[in-house]
Amino acid sequence: MPERRTVALVTLGCARNEVDSEELAGRLAADGWELVENAEEADVAVVNTCGFVEAAKKDSVDALLEANDLKDHGKTQAVVAVGCMAERYGKELAEALPEADGVLGFDDYADISNRLQTILNGGSVEAHTPRDRRKLLPLSPVERQEAAAAVALPGHGSVDVPEAPADLPEGVAPASGPRAPLRRRLDSSPVASVKLASGCDRRCSFCAIPSFRGSFVSRRPSDVLNETRWLAEQGVKEVMLVSENNTSYGKDLGDIRLLESLLPELAAVDGIERVRVSYLQPAEMRPGLIDVLTSTEKVVPYFDLSFQHSAPDVLRAMRRFGDTDRFLELLETIRSKAPTAGARSNFIVGFPGETEADFAELERFVTHARLDAIGVFGYSDEDGTEAATYEHKLDQDVVDARLAHLSRLAEELTAQRAEERIGETLEVLVESVDEEDGVIGRAAHQAPETDGQVVLTTADGMNPDLTPGRMVSAKVVGTEGVDLVAECLFEEAGR
């Protein structure tokens, strides 16, 4: 009988990383590894790191050090770093953090089982040498699909299976079909993310992601559909489409409007109640996509728009496009078609050269945009980015003051936006039920983790069967900051 090998995956960062972890889990489970939830119960702790901004890097290092401590008093024998920070820094991270027994890049994912076994046996796996992944594929998007087969694209894992293999562990894809996802769910949430694409062709001056995630590559629609069907079989009710830029989907497949035709197909998958699209670029929004997002049953009118700023001079320095009035016009167009549509965005304050007038222009936009959720970040230099070479850097105390000011304003404005929803009737997906927090769910305008939640209440004497994964109708009766309090409408409740 094979020796029992256990592994735990600790995931940091964004929803894209969560998909990557579940692909790694699928590969490991298919090769006989037993997945455990807690790192202290695992032979190997794999930390899927985030390398986007300084705070995320610190969290990743802290998680690796915390996992390393388990080697002194727990079952854990090895700690391995994977993910964006490991890919971005490679040998540099390995040298700076000897507590990690291995630092594996994306190219190691296809052979992750053997890599972990070597480390577990006391051997060493050389940390990879980072490279600009944008240079691995042709410059022309339409020439990439064939070449992409030879490039590691985390979260794109699929296998050709004419029939479902009988010897895979329970709950491990592939499930069926000519191409099935190579994935293992790591929780029982009724919500799951699906990779629509990887990489990015935009060259925002503050962002290092394209250098370590590579050029933009779309997944084939059939793969996205098959993965969604498999997730539905696992009990998922909502799928969230993720990538670095969903508005570019299909451009390397010869059809920039491919998302508009794919969304209705995903919404028609049996068992799926809600399809959500994240990561949209304002400059690439088109009327047809807005129409599909606001009029397709089960596709939620939700707009995660990456504005970043609204002052024209700052946007140009960021290598981005637009201005306050054009952004407000875009939001008005969306709300003319779906008045209760959800909208969120992130903003960077204190960008090099940002004047007081620029900051005031950003305030003007945020004040009038009526966004449901707002993320605010203070600018900091990122290794290898164009903005890191800019002159006219602002003093840190100025950046901190602007960050604090806009954060307070954002908190006030999003709370006001939540109050505007009092009286609305929502379709709420129940996500958790427990004695301490009660019944918690999310409405169509709320994405997982980032946008607030709905606290569900019931009329006196009512005791419905509210379980995770159930959709219920509810009327908003109050707010708690950005969170909503809503009373179930039992005569309408219920799928």
Side-chain angles (χ1 to χ4, degrees):
M1 185 174 181
E3 181 182 357
R4 181 174 181 263
R5 304 173 297 175
T6 56
V7 60
L9 284 138
V10 180
T11 306
L12 295 95
C14 65
R16 301 185 293 273
N17 255 16
E18 294 171 5
V19 176
D20 296 350
S21 285
E22 293 198 347
E23 181 185 296
L24 289 174
R27 293 182 183 277
L28 290 166
D31 203 44
W33 289 78
E34 180 181 339
L35 287 119
V36 296
E37 184 175 349
N38 298 316
E40 60 266 24
E41 299 172 359
D43 296 318
V44 183
V46 177
V47 180
N48 192 348
T49 61
C50 179
F52 180 41
V53 293
E54 204 59 41
K57 296 178 208 171
K58 182 180 183 303
D59 288 345
S60 295
V61 170
D62 289 346
L64 287 163
L65 293 174
E66 183 178 337
N68 182 70
D69 289 342
L70 298 174
K71 291 191 287 188
D72 295 331
H73 55 265
K75 175 181 173 64
T76 308
Q77 300 174 52
V79 175
V80 176
V82 299
C84 291
M85 189 176 180
E87 173 65 35
R88 184 176 180 184
Y89 294 104
K91 291 183 177 180
E92 181 182 343
L93 177 62
E95 292 170 0
L97 198 69
E99 292 85 353
D101 299 286
V103 176
L104 306 182
F106 297 152
D107 293 334
D108 293 304
Y109 283 19
D111 199 29
I112 187 67
S113 177
N114 287 333
R115 299 287 194 273
L116 296 191
Q117 188 64 60
T118 297
I119 293 168
L120 186 60
N121 290 344
S124 63
V125 175
E126 183 178 1
H128 79 106
T129 300
R131 52 183 173 168
D132 189 339
R133 298 189 73 87
R134 291 172 294 190
K135 298 178 180 179
L136 301 182
L137 292 170
L139 185 63
S140 171
V142 296
E143 297 176 1
R144 288 181 194 156
Q145 282 291 316
E146 184 175 349
V151 175
L153 297 171
H156 287 226
S158 296
V159 291
D160 295 316
V161 282
E163 294 181 0
D167 56 348
L168 285 181
E170 183 179 354
V172 179
S176 62
R179 285 178 63 83
L182 188 57
R183 182 170 179 172
R184 165 72 177 261
R185 296 218 67 204
L186 293 173
D187 60 41
S188 58
S189 169
V191 184
S193 296
V194 175
K195 276 276 184 83
L196 196 62
S198 285
C200 186
D201 288 343
R202 301 185 71 87
R203 293 295 179 262
C204 301
S205 62
F206 56 84
C207 183
I209 289 176
S211 66
F212 57 86
R213 279 288 184 178
S215 300
F216 186 87
V217 179
S218 302
R219 292 182 74 192
R220 295 192 298 187
S222 58
D223 287 348
V224 178
L225 274 165
N226 285 339
E227 186 163 335
T228 299
R229 293 186 184 108
W230 179 79
L231 288 167
E233 292 170 3
Q234 303 295 309
V236 168
K237 299 299 181 183
E238 175 180 328
V239 292
M240 184 167 74
L241 303 180
V242 299
S243 75
E244 279 72 24
N245 177 11
N246 282 331
T247 34
S248 284
Y249 179 69
K251 71 176 186 179
D252 52 324
L253 294 170
D255 185 0
I256 191 60
R257 294 176 177 80
L258 193 56
L259 184 56
E260 285 92 311
S261 58
L262 177 60
L263 285 171
E265 293 185 72
L266 293 171
V269 171
D270 189 33
I272 295 298
E273 296 288 349
R274 186 183 281 171
V275 178
R276 184 183 304 276
V277 183
S278 62
Y279 305 114
L280 299 168
Q281 285 291 341
E284 296 181 31
M285 290 301 293
R286 46 196 179 268
L289 180 55
I290 294 174
D291 288 342
V292 171
L293 288 169
T294 55
S295 65
T296 307
E297 185 179 4
K298 295 188 178 182
V299 175
V300 295
Y302 175 79
F303 293 83
D304 177 10
L305 295 160
S306 178
F307 290 121
Q308 301 299 347
H309 212 283
S310 71
D313 289 345
V314 176
L315 286 168
R316 302 305 175 269
M318 289 179 168
R319 304 296 183 199
R320 297 176 68 85
F321 306 95
D323 56 49
T324 296
D325 292 336
R326 274 192 277 182
F327 290 163
L328 290 175
E329 183 180 351
L330 172 59
L331 289 169
E332 179 59 32
T333 297
I334 290 167
R335 289 171 177 144
S336 70
K337 298 175 182 293
T340 61
R344 80 169 320 275
S345 193
N346 295 320
F347 300 95
I348 298 172
V349 299
F351 195 79
E354 181 191 63
T355 65
E356 290 186 6
D358 293 329
F359 185 65
E361 185 67 2
L362 177 57
E363 277 191 272
R364 181 170 81 89
F365 172 67
V366 171
T367 300
H368 290 89
R370 296 172 59 232
L371 299 171
D372 293 279
I374 299 172
V376 185
F377 301 89
Y379 173 81
S380 62
D381 286 340
E382 279 295 311
D383 299 335
T385 62
E386 181 184 355
T389 68
Y390 284 178
E391 298 178 351
H392 308 297
K393 301 279 177 63
L394 277 63
D395 291 340
Q396 190 60 49
D397 59 348
V398 175
V399 176
D400 292 343
R402 291 181 182 179
L403 174 62
H405 178 81
L406 195 65
S407 295
R408 286 194 299 270
L409 178 61
E411 186 175 351
E412 294 172 4
L413 292 169
T414 52
Q416 290 174 15
R417 178 66 182 132
E419 290 175 357
E420 291 177 21
R421 294 190 180 274
I422 292 177
E424 284 186 19
T425 297
L426 310 173
E427 285 291 306
V428 179
L429 175 64
V430 177
E431 291 195 326
S432 65
V433 180
D434 61 54
E435 292 184 3
E436 183 177 349
D437 297 323
V439 182
I440 304 296
R442 285 179 303 100
H445 70 280
Q446 298 168 318
E449 307 293 338
T450 58
D451 297 352
Q453 59 192 18
V454 178
V455 180
L456 287 167
T457 65
T458 59
D460 292 342
M462 301 297 291
N463 186 24
D465 181 22
L466 295 181
T467 56
R470 185 178 177 188
M471 295 285 290
V472 298
S473 294
K475 183 177 181 179
V476 181
V477 295
T479 65
E480 297 175 356
V482 296
D483 296 335
L484 304 178
V485 179
E487 186 173 294
C488 294
L489 303 174
F490 299 114
E491 67 276 14
E492 301 175 15
R495 293 189 291 273

